[in-house]
PDB file of all heavy atoms in Angstrom:
ATOM      1  N   ILE A  23       8.098  -3.084  14.447  1.00  0.00           N
ATOM      2  CA  ILE A  23       9.240  -2.896  15.418  1.00  0.00           C
ATOM      3  C   ILE A  23       9.521  -4.299  16.112  1.00  0.00           C
ATOM      4  O   ILE A  23      10.653  -4.622  16.321  1.00  0.00           O
ATOM      5  CB  ILE A  23       8.806  -1.870  16.533  1.00  0.00           C
ATOM      6  CG1 ILE A  23       8.764  -0.476  15.805  1.00  0.00           C
ATOM      7  CG2 ILE A  23       9.705  -1.852  17.716  1.00  0.00           C
ATOM      8  CD1 ILE A  23       8.145   0.612  16.666  1.00  0.00           C
ATOM      9  N   GLY A  41      16.965  24.756  26.898  1.00  0.00           N
ATOM     10  CA  GLY A  41      16.209  25.662  27.784  1.00  0.00           C
ATOM     11  C   GLY A  41      14.881  25.088  28.063  1.00  0.00           C
ATOM     12  O   GLY A  41      14.464  23.989  27.601  1.00  0.00           O
ATOM     13  N   MET A 127      15.099  16.086   1.585  1.00  0.00           N
ATOM     14  CA  MET A 127      14.233  16.882   0.771  1.00  0.00           C
ATOM     15  C   MET A 127      14.493  16.577  -0.744  1.00  0.00           C
ATOM     16  O   MET A 127      13.613  16.468  -1.572  1.00  0.00           O
ATOM     17  CB  MET A 127      14.497  18.311   0.976  1.00  0.00           C
ATOM     18  CG  MET A 127      14.052  18.808   2.317  1.00  0.00           C
ATOM     19  SD  MET A 127      12.230  19.067   2.259  1.00  0.00           S
ATOM     20  CE  MET A 127      12.000  19.824   3.880  1.00  0.00           C
ATOM     21  N   ALA A 145      -0.776  14.780   6.024  1.00  0.00           N
ATOM     22  CA  ALA A 145      -1.852  15.231   5.147  1.00  0.00           C
ATOM     23  C   ALA A 145      -2.160  14.292   4.021  1.00  0.00           C
ATOM     24  O   ALA A 145      -3.290  13.986   3.711  1.00  0.00           O
ATOM     25  CB  ALA A 145      -1.421  16.606   4.610  1.00  0.00           C
ATOM     26  N   VAL A 187       0.019  24.797  -6.428  1.00  0.00           N
ATOM     27  CA  VAL A 187       0.461  25.332  -5.057  1.00  0.00           C
ATOM     28  C   VAL A 187       0.187  26.847  -5.024  1.00  0.00           C
ATOM     29  O   VAL A 187       0.615  27.601  -5.848  1.00  0.00           O
ATOM     30  CB  VAL A 187       1.895  25.096  -4.857  1.00  0.00           C
ATOM     31  CG1 VAL A 187       2.307  25.558  -3.376  1.00  0.00           C
ATOM     32  CG2 VAL A 187       2.226  23.615  -5.008  1.00  0.00           C
ATOM     33  N   SER A 196      -9.762  31.733  -4.881  1.00  0.00           N
ATOM     34  CA  SER A 196     -10.955  30.950  -5.004  1.00  0.00           C
ATOM     35  C   SER A 196     -11.005  30.128  -6.292  1.00  0.00           C
ATOM     36  O   SER A 196     -11.531  28.980  -6.291  1.00  0.00           O
ATOM     37  CB  SER A 196     -12.221  31.802  -4.973  1.00  0.00           C
ATOM     38  OG  SER A 196     -12.313  32.394  -3.677  1.00  0.00           O
ATOM     39  N   GLY A 210      -2.249  28.942   7.900  1.00  0.00           N
ATOM     40  CA  GLY A 210      -2.014  29.670   9.251  1.00  0.00           C
ATOM     41  C   GLY A 210      -2.904  30.851   9.385  1.00  0.00           C
ATOM     42  O   GLY A 210      -2.617  31.729  10.112  1.00  0.00           O
ATOM     43  N   GLU A 213      -9.865  29.936   9.592  1.00  0.00           N
ATOM     44  CA  GLU A 213     -11.075  29.807   8.806  1.00  0.00           C
ATOM     45  C   GLU A 213     -11.091  30.595   7.546  1.00  0.00           C
ATOM     46  O   GLU A 213     -12.105  31.087   7.100  1.00  0.00           O
ATOM     47  CB  GLU A 213     -12.257  30.134   9.731  1.00  0.00           C
ATOM     48  CG  GLU A 213     -12.303  29.209  10.966  1.00  0.00           C
ATOM     49  CD  GLU A 213     -13.479  29.484  11.914  1.00  0.00           C
ATOM     50  OE1 GLU A 213     -13.832  30.644  12.085  1.00  0.00           O
ATOM     51  OE2 GLU A 213     -14.057  28.473  12.410  1.00  0.00           O
ATOM     52  N   ASN A 218     -17.889  28.297   0.133  1.00  0.00           N
ATOM     53  CA  ASN A 218     -18.066  28.647  -1.226  1.00  0.00           C
ATOM     54  C   ASN A 218     -16.822  28.704  -2.045  1.00  0.00           C
ATOM     55  O   ASN A 218     -16.836  29.084  -3.262  1.00  0.00           O
ATOM     56  CB  ASN A 218     -18.833  30.029  -1.273  1.00  0.00           C
ATOM     57  CG  ASN A 218     -18.061  31.206  -0.705  1.00  0.00           C
ATOM     58  OD1 ASN A 218     -16.924  31.044  -0.367  1.00  0.00           O
ATOM     59  ND2 ASN A 218     -18.673  32.350  -0.574  1.00  0.00           N
ATOM     60  N   VAL A 234      -8.075  31.117  18.482  1.00  0.00           N
ATOM     61  CA  VAL A 234      -9.006  32.267  18.408  1.00  0.00           C
ATOM     62  C   VAL A 234      -9.910  32.371  19.537  1.00  0.00           C
ATOM     63  O   VAL A 234     -10.074  31.443  20.293  1.00  0.00           O
ATOM     64  CB  VAL A 234      -9.864  32.214  17.036  1.00  0.00           C
ATOM     65  CG1 VAL A 234      -9.006  32.228  15.830  1.00  0.00           C
ATOM     66  CG2 VAL A 234     -10.807  30.968  17.096  1.00  0.00           C
ATOM     67  N   GLY A 241     -21.835  37.287  18.846  1.00  0.00           N
ATOM     68  CA  GLY A 241     -20.565  37.609  18.398  1.00  0.00           C
ATOM     69  C   GLY A 241     -19.602  38.295  19.398  1.00  0.00           C
ATOM     70  O   GLY A 241     -18.562  38.847  19.065  1.00  0.00           O
ATOM     71  N   PRO A 243     -17.097  37.985  22.790  1.00  0.00           N
ATOM     72  CA  PRO A 243     -16.170  36.935  23.348  1.00  0.00           C
ATOM     73  C   PRO A 243     -16.813  36.310  24.596  1.00  0.00           C
ATOM     74  O   PRO A 243     -17.318  36.932  25.440  1.00  0.00           O
ATOM     75  CB  PRO A 243     -14.962  37.778  23.690  1.00  0.00           C
ATOM     76  CG  PRO A 243     -15.054  39.075  23.076  1.00  0.00           C
ATOM     77  CD  PRO A 243     -16.517  39.381  22.761  1.00  0.00           C
ATOM     78  N   ASP A 258      -7.688  26.250   9.181  1.00  0.00           N
ATOM     79  CA  ASP A 258      -7.621  27.223   8.119  1.00  0.00           C
ATOM     80  C   ASP A 258      -8.880  27.186   7.237  1.00  0.00           C
ATOM     81  O   ASP A 258      -9.138  28.053   6.401  1.00  0.00           O
ATOM     82  CB  ASP A 258      -6.472  26.947   7.194  1.00  0.00           C
ATOM     83  CG  ASP A 258      -5.132  27.261   7.855  1.00  0.00           C
ATOM     84  OD1 ASP A 258      -5.069  27.931   8.877  1.00  0.00           O
ATOM     85  OD2 ASP A 258      -4.080  26.708   7.388  1.00  0.00           O
ATOM     86  N   ALA A 262     -17.904  24.656   9.460  1.00  0.00           N
ATOM     87  CA  ALA A 262     -19.369  24.519   9.326  1.00  0.00           C
ATOM     88  C   ALA A 262     -19.815  24.671   7.913  1.00  0.00           C
ATOM     89  O   ALA A 262     -20.698  23.918   7.451  1.00  0.00           O
ATOM     90  CB  ALA A 262     -19.971  25.591  10.242  1.00  0.00           C
ATOM     91  N   THR A 282       0.195  13.421  12.354  1.00  0.00           N
ATOM     92  CA  THR A 282       1.637  13.980  12.341  1.00  0.00           C
ATOM     93  C   THR A 282       2.544  13.300  13.365  1.00  0.00           C
ATOM     94  O   THR A 282       3.630  12.932  13.032  1.00  0.00           O
ATOM     95  CB  THR A 282       1.557  15.506  12.557  1.00  0.00           C
ATOM     96  OG1 THR A 282       0.759  16.134  11.582  1.00  0.00           O
ATOM     97  CG2 THR A 282       2.874  16.076  12.606  1.00  0.00           C
TER      98      THR A 282
END
Side-chain angles (χ1 to χ4, degrees):
I23 290 169
M127 290 283 189
V187 184
S196 292
E213 300 180 321
N218 62 8
V234 296
D258 291 340
T282 297

